[in-house]
Each structure stands twice: as structure tokens, then as C-alpha cells.
Amino acid sequence: MNTTPLDDIAPLVAAARRAFDEGRTRPMAWRVATLERLRDLLSEREERLLDALAADFGKPRPEAWLTEIGFTISDINHTLANLPGWMKPEKVPTPVAFKPGSSEIVREPVGVVAVIAPWNYPVQLLLLPMVAAIAAGNAVVAKPSELAPATSDELTSLIQELGDAAVAVVEGGVAETTELLAERFDHIIYTGNSRVARIVMRAAAEHLTPVTLELGGKSPAIVSRHANVAVAAKRIAWGKFVNAGQTCIAPDYVLVEKSVHDQLVAGIGDAIREFYGDDPQQSADFARIVNEPHFHRIEKLLHCGTVAHGGVTDADTRYIAPTVLTGITADDPVMDEEIFGPVLPVIAVDNLDEAVRFVQAGSAKGDKPLALYSFSEHDADNETVVNGTTSGGVCVNGTLMHISNPHLPFGGVGESGMGAYHGKFGFDTFSHKRAVHSRSTKLDPALMYPPYTAKKVKVLRKGMVMPDPRDLAAKARNVFRHK
Ligand code: NAD
């Protein structure tokens, strides 16, 4: 992998800032042209990117296209279709006391945005925040993850092909990111783990730079005895084993009501065979673990509980079979931290209240999940689960799909992150909402100006404070009564 010389980083950021200060990135024409070019480059370089993703961790090509390239192209198209509407100043009411005048919210770019991305969906998680930042009229400095080195090189080359100082890229690891974080940005979006998030937030605090942190955690799937168990099993298996479990919103573990435990575990086994055949190691559709430390970390977790399916590993190719563990309790090491691999612990509970308490116990420690999945055919069950817990997002009777809807915000809460993006939410994240109130000079009542006579004060006290809604309601009732 190439790395950006440390001495080049400050000049790259300075050039991006110059481009912003010159006003180059503000016009809609620049935003649209840059996004269109980015989309075209993604299509032109599809094969190269898919090769790089396969080289880094055996990401299956169809899966990589769907979750990385297709996902990003779709987001760009959604952004292009909606950008004129998003950019329009938003008219808001002006209370009578402040008339004649008008008010609006103008979404203006914040300046230079740093985008620091992880390795697990290295294309999508670098480009999607960039798309939102560019759409909002900002200059961008992007930092791909060094843990997906081939993809990092490809992304760097793609961004450099834009040939625009307003969209810069820094390649490298901890040293380069540290150097980058010493610079002043107007917003930093970081996707990755909560340890590094704290480093990012500390660096941002030096410049009072706002941050968006997209982190992870243990996302539960809760299965009621009223669930369509066969469908739940399939959807949980898919959400878990896509990208070999290296997905921030993968169901980390399952809490299932006792009476359907065995049926669910059997169903997940059937789904694994259906998706990947009898020997998933031979399947072209199952990814590998990103590196050796992660391989060994995940392999150790296989000693928890009982292996119901899978359990096979191969260190040479960093293969870990899609695995289901049963007989797990909250005290098992597999429940200590986010698994981030193809290992699914299943915990039997007496009822949904117990499942809710289990999730709440984690949340009480600040460990609020990024995603939560509730499976039941009874609305009341799903309400019990959703209302009793918190999480970045929820998908009822499904996994992962909620993040594909560009009309929903994507972001965490507590340890799973702060802030959100996707679609309009990303545009808003990288925009400053500027309050603009325009006044007419035709009338210039002396009311506001000193000297504050008793008469003026009386009128001000009556006219400047919004009325109590109860008084308004009473007034309306009176009018009605007299009619
Ligand atoms: P990673 O190791 O690739 O790190 C992410 C970024 O942090 C990289 O660009 C890296 O260069 C930088 N970095 C690493 N150490 C640093 C340091 N000391 N100082 C400054 N920068 C540093 O990725 P990761 O953290 O292993 O990613 C996995 C985690 O990310 C999981 O917890 C997962 O749940 C989470 N994640 C969250 C989302 C989301 O959208 N919420 C998406 C994917 C992954």
C-alpha cells in the first residue's frame, strides 16, 4: 500500500481549504459535476475495485458490488435527484410581533470535512460520507483504511483521478491519521471502533470541531415465540454471515424465547447450508477474516458454549466457518465485546421481558446497540421490544435492510456513535443551518429602542412573549361558545 508522506498532509488540507475559500465548491454545478464524475469513475473502475476487495479479504464479488459499489451509486443518484430541493432555503414562519419581515434557514457548507473510514466496507464507508459532504458544498479530505490496503490504493487512485484539490485523499495508518487530525477541520466523520473514536474526539476538541462518530457494538436479534421462525432464521443468518460477520450492524447475538430455540437454531443451520453449501470453505460467496489478529481473536470465541453449526477454521486462509453457538450466558467471553466475525451466540430466554432486560443491562453501561432486530408476527411483541430498548436503528422482521432506505438516518447512540448520515441526513450533517431573518425598513416602531418608558414595557411584555397555549385554547372555546 502507498502512504502519503507526512509532510504532504498539511499542504493537502491547505489546498482543500483554499478551494473552499475561493468559493469553488459552493455552486450546485460543482457539486453535481463532482458527484457525477465520482459515479462514473466508480462504474469505470468497478472490476479493479472488486479485485481489490477480493484481494483484501475475499469479499465475494456480487456481495461487494451490492453493498459497496451499487449502494454508493444508488446514494449518489438519490442525492443528485434531490439536491436542488435540499439546497433550497427553508422558509419558516415569522411571528406577528416580528413583522414586517421574513425568516428562512439556509443550509450552507461548513468548510473542509475529514472522512476517516474503516476496512470492512471500505468503499461505501469512505465514499458515502464524501458524497454527503460534497453535496453540501464542502471540500473533503478522505482517509481510507490501511487494513484493506489494496482497496485503499484503488480508492486513492480513483479520488486522485478527479484531479480536484477540493477532494483530497491521504493514505496511510496511525501516523498519517494522527498528522491529519492535527489539522483544523470544520467537521470530522469517523467510522470505526470506539477506542479510536475517543482519540478522534480528543483531537477534534483542540479545534472545537464537530464530529460524527459511526461506531459499532453488540446488536441483538430478539426472536419471539410468535415469530415466523423459518423466515427469521434465514434473515438472521444472512445478516450475520454477509461479509463473514464483519458488518457493524450484523446481528451480534440472538435472544430467543425458549419454546422456539431449537427450531430457530435448526433453521439457521438450514439457511447456512442453503447459502453456502455443505462446505462453506468452498463457497465463492463467503468472505474471509481481514487479518491474523482478528482471525485469532474470533477463533478463541469458538470455545464458548456448544457448537451447533460450523466451528471449522483454517488459519492459512483466515477462514472461519459460519458458526452458531448455543448454551451461551451473559458471562461467556463471546458476550464481552462486539464479535465482528461469523460467530452467532444464541441465548434462550423465558420471555421477551427478560430479553429486554438483557439489552437494557448493556445500555445501562452506555453500550447502546447500533442496530436491533425484533422478530414476531404480533405487533405487541415488537412494541415491547422496541419501546423497552434503544438503539441506533431498528429493523422489525428483518436484518440490515433499514440502512438501505435513504429516507432513514443511519447512526448510533451512546457507545455506538453520535450523529447520522445517509440521504438528506448526510446533507444536513455537513451543512450549517444558518438562521436568516430579513426585516423591512418601511416601519420602524420605537418600541424596541430606549428610553424604556412604562408604556413601552407594558406593550413589550404583552406582545413579545409567545402566548400560553392554554390561553389560546380558552380563547378559541369562548369564540365557539358565543357563536
Ligand atoms: P480500522 O482499524 O480500519 O480503523 C478505522 C480508521 O481509524 C482507519 O482509517 C484507521 O487508519 C484509523 N485509526 C486507527 N487507529 C488510529 C489511531 N490510533 N489514531 C487515529 N486513527 C486511527 O477499523 P476498525 O475500527 O477495526 O473498524 C471496525 C469497527 O468499526 C467495528 O467496531 C465496527 O462495528 C465499526 N463500524 C461501524 C460502522 C458504522 O457505520 N457505524 C461501519 C463499519 C464499522
Side-chain angles (χ1 to χ4, degrees), residues 116-121 125 143-148 172-174 177-178 181 190-196 199-200 213-217 246-249 294 338 340 370 410-412 416 421:
I116 304 173
W119 55 268
N120 62 330
Y121 290 85
L125 295 173
K143 217 298 284 169
S145 173
E146 71 279 19
L147 295 190
V174 175
T177 317
T178 306
L181 286 171
Y190 165 82
T191 304
N193 66 71
S194 58
R195 181 187 63 81
V196 175
I199 297 173
V200 171
L213 302 175
E214 298 283 341
L215 314 177
Q246 301 164 113
T247 304
C248 56
I249 49 165
H294 275 295
E338 182 182 6
F340 223 54
L370 180 59
F410 175 54
S416 60
Y421 69 118

Side-chain angles (χ1 to χ4, degrees), residues 324-347:
V324 178
L325 301 175
T326 54
I328 297 294
T329 70
D331 301 325
D332 281 309
V334 75
M335 294 306 293
D336 278 351
E337 55 180 42
E338 182 182 6
I339 297 164
F340 223 54
V343 178
L344 183 67
V346 178
I347 300 175

Side-chain angles (χ1 to χ4, degrees), residues 395-450:
C395 189
V396 172
N397 287 324
T399 58
L400 314 190
M401 296 305 289
H402 60 299
I403 73 147
S404 310
N405 180 349
H407 302 287
L408 288 173
F410 175 54
V413 55
E415 281 280 322
S416 60
M418 61 179 74
Y421 69 118
H422 281 195
K424 171 81 159 45
F425 300 95
F427 178 85
D428 279 344
T429 286
F430 299 115
S431 299
H432 167 57
K433 287 166 211 71
R434 195 174 196 182
V436 180
H437 177 49
S438 305
R439 302 190 55 74
S440 161
T441 53
K442 295 222 166 74
L443 285 176
D444 194 23
L447 216 54
M448 306 289 278
Y449 302 130

Side-chain angles (χ1 to χ4, degrees), residues 255-274:
L255 298 167
V256 55
E257 285 195 286
K258 273 197 177 105
S259 56
V260 291
H261 171 277
D262 293 354
Q263 193 191 345
L264 182 78
V265 171
I268 295 173
D270 292 343
I272 293 171
R273 272 184 297 279
E274 193 183 318

Side-chain angles (χ1 to χ4, degrees), residues 42 49 53 68-69 72 118 121-128 151 155:
L42 258 179
L49 281 163
L53 289 161
E68 300 263 42
I69 296 173
T72 309
Y121 290 85
V123 177
Q124 185 209 127
L125 295 173
L126 187 80
L127 296 186
L128 248 55
T151 313
L155 286 167

